[in-house]
Short mmCIF file of all heavy atoms in Angstrom, two decimals:
data_model
loop_
_atom_site.label_atom_id
_atom_site.label_comp_id
_atom_site.label_asym_id
_atom_site.label_seq_id
_atom_site.Cartn_x
_atom_site.Cartn_y
_atom_site.Cartn_z
N GLU A 769 -52.33 -33.40 -96.23
CA GLU A 769 -52.68 -33.32 -94.82
C GLU A 769 -53.91 -34.15 -94.58
O GLU A 769 -54.88 -34.12 -95.42
CB GLU A 769 -52.88 -31.87 -94.40
CG GLU A 769 -51.66 -30.99 -94.60
CD GLU A 769 -51.91 -29.52 -94.31
OE1 GLU A 769 -52.87 -29.21 -93.58
OE2 GLU A 769 -51.15 -28.68 -94.82
N THR A 770 -53.95 -34.87 -93.48
CA THR A 770 -55.12 -35.73 -93.16
C THR A 770 -55.74 -35.28 -91.85
O THR A 770 -55.03 -34.98 -90.89
CB THR A 770 -54.67 -37.19 -93.07
OG1 THR A 770 -53.52 -37.28 -92.25
CG2 THR A 770 -54.36 -37.73 -94.42
N ALA A 771 -57.02 -35.27 -91.77
CA ALA A 771 -57.78 -34.98 -90.58
C ALA A 771 -58.64 -36.16 -90.24
O ALA A 771 -59.74 -36.35 -90.79
CB ALA A 771 -58.65 -33.72 -90.79
N PHE A 772 -58.17 -36.96 -89.31
CA PHE A 772 -58.94 -38.13 -88.85
C PHE A 772 -59.81 -37.79 -87.67
O PHE A 772 -59.69 -36.72 -87.07
CB PHE A 772 -58.01 -39.29 -88.49
CG PHE A 772 -57.34 -39.91 -89.69
CD1 PHE A 772 -56.02 -39.59 -89.99
CD2 PHE A 772 -58.01 -40.80 -90.49
CE1 PHE A 772 -55.39 -40.17 -91.11
CE2 PHE A 772 -57.42 -41.37 -91.61
CZ PHE A 772 -56.08 -41.04 -91.91
N ASN A 773 -60.74 -38.69 -87.32
CA ASN A 773 -61.72 -38.43 -86.24
C ASN A 773 -62.44 -37.09 -86.44
O ASN A 773 -62.73 -36.40 -85.47
CB ASN A 773 -61.00 -38.44 -84.86
CG ASN A 773 -60.41 -39.79 -84.49
OD1 ASN A 773 -61.10 -40.77 -84.66
ND2 ASN A 773 -59.14 -39.81 -84.14
N THR A 774 -62.71 -36.78 -87.68
CA THR A 774 -63.31 -35.50 -88.00
C THR A 774 -64.51 -35.72 -88.94
O THR A 774 -64.36 -36.22 -90.09
CB THR A 774 -62.28 -34.59 -88.75
OG1 THR A 774 -61.17 -34.41 -87.88
CG2 THR A 774 -62.88 -33.25 -89.10
N ALA A 775 -65.71 -35.45 -88.44
CA ALA A 775 -66.94 -35.62 -89.24
C ALA A 775 -67.34 -34.35 -89.87
O ALA A 775 -67.22 -33.25 -89.29
CB ALA A 775 -68.06 -36.13 -88.31
N VAL A 776 -67.82 -34.42 -91.09
CA VAL A 776 -68.40 -33.27 -91.80
C VAL A 776 -69.83 -33.16 -91.37
O VAL A 776 -70.65 -34.06 -91.51
CB VAL A 776 -68.31 -33.44 -93.33
CG1 VAL A 776 -69.00 -32.32 -94.04
CG2 VAL A 776 -66.82 -33.51 -93.72
N ILE A 777 -70.20 -31.99 -90.82
CA ILE A 777 -71.58 -31.76 -90.34
C ILE A 777 -72.34 -30.72 -91.14
O ILE A 777 -73.54 -30.56 -90.93
CB ILE A 777 -71.55 -31.39 -88.83
CG1 ILE A 777 -70.75 -30.12 -88.59
CG2 ILE A 777 -71.03 -32.55 -88.01
CD1 ILE A 777 -70.79 -29.61 -87.14
N GLY A 778 -71.66 -30.02 -92.01
CA GLY A 778 -72.36 -29.05 -92.81
C GLY A 778 -71.40 -28.49 -93.89
O GLY A 778 -70.17 -28.44 -93.68
N ILE A 779 -71.99 -28.09 -95.06
CA ILE A 779 -71.17 -27.53 -96.15
C ILE A 779 -71.89 -26.33 -96.72
O ILE A 779 -73.09 -26.39 -97.02
CB ILE A 779 -70.95 -28.54 -97.29
CG1 ILE A 779 -70.21 -29.79 -96.70
CG2 ILE A 779 -70.12 -27.94 -98.41
CD1 ILE A 779 -70.08 -30.92 -97.73
N GLU A 780 -71.16 -25.20 -96.89
CA GLU A 780 -71.73 -24.01 -97.49
C GLU A 780 -71.02 -23.74 -98.80
O GLU A 780 -69.75 -23.78 -98.80
CB GLU A 780 -71.51 -22.75 -96.61
CG GLU A 780 -72.19 -22.79 -95.28
CD GLU A 780 -71.81 -21.55 -94.48
OE1 GLU A 780 -71.94 -20.45 -95.05
OE2 GLU A 780 -71.38 -21.69 -93.32
N ALA A 781 -71.76 -23.44 -99.86
CA ALA A 781 -71.17 -22.98 -101.10
C ALA A 781 -71.01 -21.49 -100.96
O ALA A 781 -71.97 -20.74 -100.65
CB ALA A 781 -72.08 -23.31 -102.28
N LEU A 782 -69.79 -21.00 -101.07
CA LEU A 782 -69.47 -19.57 -100.89
C LEU A 782 -69.85 -18.74 -102.12
O LEU A 782 -69.63 -19.19 -103.22
CB LEU A 782 -68.01 -19.40 -100.55
CG LEU A 782 -67.53 -20.13 -99.28
CD1 LEU A 782 -66.04 -19.97 -99.12
CD2 LEU A 782 -68.23 -19.58 -98.05
N PRO A 783 -70.41 -17.58 -101.92
CA PRO A 783 -70.80 -16.70 -103.04
C PRO A 783 -69.70 -16.43 -104.04
O PRO A 783 -69.89 -16.30 -105.21
CB PRO A 783 -71.33 -15.44 -102.36
CG PRO A 783 -71.64 -15.83 -100.99
CD PRO A 783 -70.71 -16.90 -100.62
N SER A 784 -68.50 -16.30 -103.50
CA SER A 784 -67.34 -15.97 -104.39
C SER A 784 -66.65 -17.21 -104.94
O SER A 784 -65.59 -17.09 -105.55
CB SER A 784 -66.34 -15.12 -103.57
OG SER A 784 -65.97 -15.77 -102.38
N GLY A 785 -67.22 -18.36 -104.70
CA GLY A 785 -66.64 -19.61 -105.18
C GLY A 785 -66.06 -20.42 -104.05
O GLY A 785 -65.67 -19.89 -103.01
N GLY A 786 -65.92 -21.73 -104.22
CA GLY A 786 -65.41 -22.58 -103.17
C GLY A 786 -66.42 -22.95 -102.13
O GLY A 786 -67.65 -22.67 -102.29
#
Side-chain angles (χ1 to χ4, degrees):
E769 302 174 20
T770 49
F772 289 103
N773 295 312
T774 302
V776 174
I777 58 175
I779 301 173
E780 297 176 50
L782 299 174
S784 53

